Amino acid sequence: MADEAKPDLNHSWDDLEFTSHPSEEHLRVISACEELGGMLAICNETCEEVKKHMFAACEPTSVPIIEVRICFPKRDVALHLRNKRDGLKFLALVCALVTAFDPTECAQVLAMLMEHHLVREDGKCLTVEQLRPLIATIETRCQLSGFASHIVHYEITLCHELRARDHGDGSLSRLGKTPDVEAVVKLVDLLLLLKAEGSRGKPQAVSIYAGRCAPWIAAFLRWWFHTESMIFIDDEKLAVFNKRETQVGIRIPLQTFLSSPKPIKIRAIYSRKEWEDWTFDLGRAKQYSGLVPISTYFQLMLSAFKLDAGQANKAALDAIPYAVLEARNGLTMCSEGCVTRKRWGAPCETTGDIAKVKATLRSQHGLSISSDRFEPFPERADINKILRLVPGCAKKHMKDLYKWKIGMQVYEHPDAVAFLEQERHAAERANWSEGVFETQFTSMAAPGATTKLMEQIAHITATILALSLFRDPEKLLVSPDPFVWQRDGLKPSTVISAMDRTFRKLKACCDVVEWHHVCRLLAGEREEPGWGTIISCGGGQAVWSAITLGGKIPASGESYLRLNWCRGNLYNENNLNKRYRRVIGIDSRTMISNIRQAIPDIPARLTQVNMVTGGTVGLPTRLCSEDERVLECALVRTAAENITGIHANPCGVLKSLASAERLEQCPHGPDTPMDVSVPSIADSEPNTAAALPDVYLCSPDDALPWLLDWAGKADSNDVARQDLSKHLQFVRGVKRPGAVAVVPVSNNSSLRFYALAKPVGAHVAVREHTCVACSVKFCKELGFGILVL
């Protein structure tokens, strides 16, 4: 016993981690949690389900460049609780609570239950402040338990039952709400009384009147009993659920629960003539949370869109494979001013029809240069993996429309045409049109059936493409939000608008920032990710862009939007007691004083001598001064033993590549020098493009060329939202030194990456094997203001 571990009284909960030697305070909290768990009648099957999903083996991942490790610790409080049956029951309760409440509200539920049921000699029960750190520690593991999948099952089933009774859930909104804290406490109190033997005031049965939170309550009861409770719509018992009598039932009173000021009523029934009622509000959460398999997510999406049955389902499954291919081939990317939310996916003026301009250059100007856009999406095989997880698409793949009929549009396929036009489907079409789905085309007072169907297909297609961006996505769990593209920060979505245009054979362009924003939300991020997030971590899954930490631009055909993911929390590589919420990128060039104003270098002859050589690019990190659980990182260039002083956010490379053109080949050697023409003032009109030199050189640190391009297309509303109005005013007062800004970093991949990591998007050409003269001519003719050699 001499070697027995003693509590470490110096250990703090500030790091949100229990160690193998917790303090006396920790042990007191753990003991109370196990005691509460011992009182719960949660079934053994549920405990085994929790153990299976919550503690599933997952390999840790290290990100050495920023000294971050993604994992679940081998010794934490969740594992400690798992080793005892009472602790496992407590974890099962928390697994349900975290889908309805934030950590503070979960702690409130537990504190109230302990006050009601635990006896303390000193009369002191644990407080919310004492319990909240425990919940914050285990919450991410608990999101993986599978409880949310049960909620989704009940939501879909109850929606079908409501529709079968001509109570279209369009009037009910989604059945995705949760009960409030007091309602859950009362429900658990009554479930404990049902278990108690010989208890005074013990009810014979419990009836729960609920509406929009009925799926959550049904899932909670199944979690508790591992059997279906009786569910009634009005007074009609649903045959789809267990036919035998149970002590707890759920009633959905269709005529009253929407208008009631207290939409939840719990009734304890003591006898045929004696009962007691309590009424409660809905919880604060907009909808339940948690994580579910991708196939379950698409089941929910089809149900929410009313596309999961009948001819509507046939129409959707007929159109989706073609829609995915159309979107993958037809979408172009841009950022900021090129794609504003009021332009409804219209193509960027510079890059929208670039193929036609290149053809004109070849035929009229004899410019023989091969080029292509950087690829945003992965290969077909990766997209098909996600497509096959859509219910009904298990054996489908992207199909080429032109093999069927040249020019056929997505909504012209047989099953879609039948659903949209045939009279025999009129009733189903009318019922579908009354669903909860709301069009984002608000200017249309009454959008037609074709518009609405194509917008729904666009949502499904966009989600398929977004999930395909994850490497090995089959085991990824996603947040059960079928309307993720309609979040406040995204609506109206440029992605959905652009897809709707591609379905109609129109040119389309969307904001590149939206893709990773939605991917992070799908992977469980509960905070708004915001631009500049390097690694986000929500729901026990960390997500990061492969390119931002890779340090080099992608090879030809490789998706620059690829995402890596790993299950676990974020920790310091060298100290697992230090946990982070997220890793973000910072950029010092958002300060006007750091916008370079050096005299531009305009060489008479551009050769290899002008290339920037030497130096290194690193990615140092530091803790955020405002939140020590946020890690900041930035690209920093060191040249000739001196740090340049500019911190660049690596996320900026995504904005540059979104509208960039890769210049592959021309008839000349890549090292062929270029004579730079500088027109005289007498030979040209002042303040015109012809009066500018062909090129001017700029440093890889210099963001001014990007800002000049951005200022020419910036939307005042977007600029104000990003707090860049002063930058816009400043840059518009700067005279452009030349037609094309050349960044001479040839043959240095890290410097090219650093040069492209800019705080705003711009039209950039990236030279591969073309000569400088052809590259500059290409830029001038197509309107690209920046050339990265």
Side-chain angles (χ1 to χ4, degrees):
M1 297 298 290
D3 296 331
E4 184 177 348
K6 296 182 179 179
D8 180 4
L9 300 180
N10 295 319
H11 185 76
S12 170
W13 275 13
D14 292 341
D15 58 19
L16 296 181
E17 283 303 325
F18 278 75
T19 65
S20 57
H21 306 307
S23 69
E24 290 180 348
E25 180 67 13
H26 296 171
L27 295 174
R28 178 170 177 261
V29 173
I30 292 172
S31 176
C33 294
E34 291 175 342
E35 187 176 350
L36 178 63
M39 303 180 70
L40 304 176
I42 295 177
C43 63
N44 291 334
E45 292 84 354
T46 293
C47 291
E48 292 304 313
E49 188 173 345
V50 168
K51 187 183 294 187
K52 174 184 175 182
H53 294 292
M54 189 172 168
F55 300 97
C58 51
E59 289 296 321
T61 295
S62 292
V63 188
I65 193 170
I66 55 174
E67 295 186 342
V68 162
R69 187 172 179 82
I70 304 165
C71 65
F72 288 119
K74 293 182 178 179
R75 294 180 178 178
D76 65 5
V77 68
L79 286 165
H80 176 90
L81 290 167
R82 183 197 67 173
N83 292 331
K84 295 182 180 180
R85 177 60 61 178
D86 293 349
L88 196 54
K89 289 182 179 180
F90 172 81
L91 287 176
L93 174 61
V94 177
C95 287
L97 297 181
V98 296
T99 63
F101 308 119
D102 62 27
T104 299
E105 290 173 318
C106 289
Q108 289 174 353
V109 173
L110 297 174
M112 293 170 70
L113 289 174
M114 289 179 181
E115 183 179 359
H116 294 175
H117 301 286
L118 301 189
V119 178
R120 286 286 175 267
E121 293 181 359
D122 56 6
K124 294 181 179 180
C125 290
L126 295 181
T127 64
V128 172
E129 290 73 19
Q130 290 172 305
L131 286 164
R132 188 191 182 284
L134 170 65
I135 302 303
T137 301
I138 64 177
E139 177 196 18
T140 51
R141 276 194 189 268
C142 291
Q143 295 284 359
L144 307 173
S145 68
F147 181 77
S149 295
H150 294 299
I151 311 176
V152 171
H153 161 72
Y154 284 105
E155 181 179 357
I156 293 172
T157 304
L158 290 175
C159 282
H160 286 175
E161 294 294 332
L162 289 169
R163 292 169 192 168
R165 288 158 178 76
D166 295 325
H167 290 289
D169 64 336
S171 63
L172 306 179
S173 185
R174 269 190 66 204
L175 302 180
K177 289 291 188 179
T178 60
D180 68 4
V181 167
E182 288 77 11
V184 174
V185 171
K186 176 54 68 175
L187 177 58
V188 175
D189 284 343
L190 292 173
L191 292 177
L192 290 175
L193 278 176
L194 286 174
K195 169 198 171 186
E197 296 182 3
S199 174
R200 295 183 59 185
K202 175 182 177 180
Q204 295 181 4
V206 175
S207 183
I208 305 161
Y209 294 75
R212 294 177 185 173
C213 66
W216 192 95
I217 292 176
F220 185 82
L221 294 177
R222 187 189 185 285
W223 200 245
W224 190 281
F225 295 113
H226 198 68
T227 188
E228 303 289 1
S229 298
M230 293 183 294
I231 300 180
F232 299 80
I233 293 181
D234 281 339
D235 291 326
E236 181 182 356
K237 184 177 179 181
L238 301 186
V240 70
F241 297 109
N242 200 316
K243 296 181 180 180
R244 70 181 182 85
E245 296 292 321
T246 58
Q247 284 185 288
V248 184
I250 300 173
R251 294 181 180 271
I252 304 178
L254 290 171
Q255 304 303 319
T256 60
F257 77 81
L258 282 178
S259 58
S260 172
K262 296 284 189 179
I264 303 171
K265 180 170 71 173
I266 298 179
R267 171 172 291 180
I269 303 171
Y270 303 106
S271 67
R272 289 175 177 261
K273 297 181 179 180
E274 185 181 2
W275 62 81
E276 188 175 5
D277 291 342
W278 299 268
T279 57
F280 303 97
D281 291 314
L282 293 172
R284 294 190 305 167
K286 291 183 179 180
Q287 61 187 42
Y288 59 84
S289 62
L291 295 171
V292 300
I294 292 175
S295 58
T296 302
Y297 174 87
F298 281 118
Q299 282 182 318
L300 178 62
M301 177 175 270
L302 291 174
S303 174
F305 293 177
K306 284 192 169 183
L307 294 176
D308 58 340
Q311 189 62 32
N313 180 249
K314 292 180 180 179
L317 298 184
D318 191 18
I320 287 171
Y322 300 95
V324 174
L325 183 70
E326 285 277 41
R328 181 185 184 275
N329 293 343
L331 280 182
T332 56
M333 302 280 180
C334 224
S335 62
E336 292 155 345
C338 289
V339 188
T340 61
R341 303 217 175 273
K342 62 184 180 184
R343 290 187 58 173
W344 302 108
C348 165
E349 293 178 2
T350 304
T351 60
D353 199 7
I354 199 169
K356 183 178 180 181
V357 179
K358 287 192 290 187
T360 302
L361 282 175
R362 284 192 291 268
S363 62
Q364 296 182 4
H365 300 280
L367 180 59
S368 180
I369 183 171
S370 62
S371 67
D372 204 358
R373 299 290 297 273
F374 283 86
E375 180 56 58
F377 299 117
E379 297 295 326
R380 286 192 182 196
D382 297 305
I383 300 174
N384 284 333
K385 290 178 183 178
I386 302 299
L387 174 62
R388 289 167 184 153
L389 294 176
V390 178
C393 294
K395 297 182 179 180
K396 295 192 176 185
H397 54 83
M398 286 185 287
K399 296 179 181 178
D400 194 336
L401 288 165
Y402 304 104
K403 291 180 180 178
W404 280 66
K405 180 180 178 182
I406 295 177
M408 178 182 285
Q409 300 191 41
V410 172
Y411 52 85
E412 293 178 336
H413 288 279
D415 283 321
V417 171
F419 176 66
L420 294 170
E421 298 181 5
Q422 290 182 6
E423 183 63 28
R424 63 195 177 105
H425 298 302
E428 182 185 354
R429 193 163 57 244
N431 181 271
W432 161 78
S433 67
E434 295 174 354
V436 299
F437 184 88
E438 294 182 1
T439 178
Q440 74 173 34
F441 298 103
T442 52
S443 59
M444 303 179 71
T450 300
T451 297
K452 184 172 180 179
L453 178 63
M454 286 302 98
E455 190 175 351
Q456 290 184 339
I457 299 298
H459 276 255
I460 297 168
T461 301
T463 308
I464 290 171
L465 288 178
L467 291 171
S468 73
L469 297 176
F470 290 92
R471 294 193 191 277
D472 304 318
E474 294 91 334
K475 294 183 179 180
L476 180 75
L477 298 175
V478 294
S479 178
D481 181 6
F483 300 105
V484 65
W485 295 96
Q486 294 185 345
R487 290 279 188 99
D488 292 339
L490 295 168
K491 189 178 180 180
S493 163
T494 66
V495 170
I496 300 304
S497 303
M499 286 196 173
D500 195 74
R501 291 175 65 89
T502 63
F503 297 163
R504 289 167 168 80
K505 305 296 183 182
L506 300 173
K507 297 293 182 182
C509 191
C510 55
D511 183 3
V512 69
V513 174
E514 275 192 43
W515 288 98
H516 280 184
H517 187 106
V518 168
C519 284
R520 295 180 191 277
L521 293 174
L522 283 169
E525 181 63 61
R526 279 155 287 171
E527 300 179 45
E528 284 300 317
W531 177 246
T533 298
I534 305 292
I535 304 181
S536 59
C537 188
Q541 295 183 142
V543 174
W544 67 100
S545 167
I547 188 174
T548 54
L549 296 177
K552 60 181 181 179
I553 62 174
S556 180
E558 182 183 352
S559 168
Y560 63 83
L561 286 178
R562 273 293 200 185
L563 287 162
N564 295 326
W565 69 281
C566 180
R567 209 152 282 158
N569 298 318
L570 298 179
Y571 298 95
N572 183 290
E573 178 74 61
N574 303 312
N575 181 9
L576 291 185
N577 285 334
K578 184 62 181 177
R579 179 174 160 189
Y580 305 123
R581 283 180 31 244
R582 64 181 59 241
V583 181
I584 64 172
I586 58 174
D587 200 312
S588 63
R589 290 166 302 191
T590 55
M591 298 175 61
I592 293 179
S593 59
N594 283 333
I595 298 175
R596 295 300 178 88
Q597 302 179 61
I599 298 174
D601 180 11
I602 304 174
R605 188 173 176 82
L606 191 54
T607 68
Q608 285 296 113
V609 176
N610 302 104
M611 300 300 166
V612 176
T613 58
T616 59
V617 177
L619 194 65
T621 61
R622 70 185 185 193
L623 292 177
C624 177
S625 59
E626 298 177 0
D627 186 346
E628 289 193 352
R629 292 188 60 213
V630 173
L631 189 67
E632 296 178 338
C633 67
L635 294 168
V636 176
R637 181 168 77 98
T638 303
E641 305 303 326
N642 293 316
I643 296 177
T644 61
I646 295 298
H647 294 77
N649 182 350
C651 288
V653 74
L654 295 170
K655 292 184 177 182
S656 290
L657 294 181
S659 56
E661 189 83 1
R662 187 196 298 268
L663 309 183
E664 299 288 356
Q665 297 284 349
C666 76
H668 316 106
D671 297 333
T672 305
M674 171 188 175
D675 292 321
V676 179
S677 65
V678 182
S680 65
I681 297 177
D683 296 335
S684 58
E685 291 288 334
N687 301 321
T688 64
L692 296 174
D694 285 340
V695 301
Y696 66 100
L697 301 184
C698 68
S699 165
D701 308 292
D702 196 348
L704 185 58
W706 273 259
L707 290 166
L708 287 169
D709 186 272
W710 164 76
K713 57 188 174 59
D715 177 82
S716 56
N717 292 328
D718 284 345
V719 169
R721 178 173 51 83
Q722 298 175 68
D723 197 25
L724 293 175
S725 298
K726 292 182 179 179
H727 297 72
L728 183 62
Q729 182 180 0
F730 170 81
V731 174
R732 283 180 173 170
V734 176
K735 183 180 178 181
R736 186 182 293 272
V740 179
V742 174
V743 188
V745 290
S746 182
N747 299 321
N748 190 321
S749 61
S750 62
L751 275 182
R752 286 212 299 175
F753 183 87
Y754 177 76
L756 289 167
K758 293 297 188 286
V760 294
H763 297 103
V764 184
V766 181
R767 185 184 71 146
E768 294 295 339
H769 304 292
T770 56
C771 72
V772 179
C774 286
S775 301
V776 170
K777 187 173 183 180
F778 179 95
C779 291
K780 289 183 67 176
E781 294 293 336
L782 273 81
F784 283 72
I786 303 165
L787 171 63
V788 178
L789 299 180

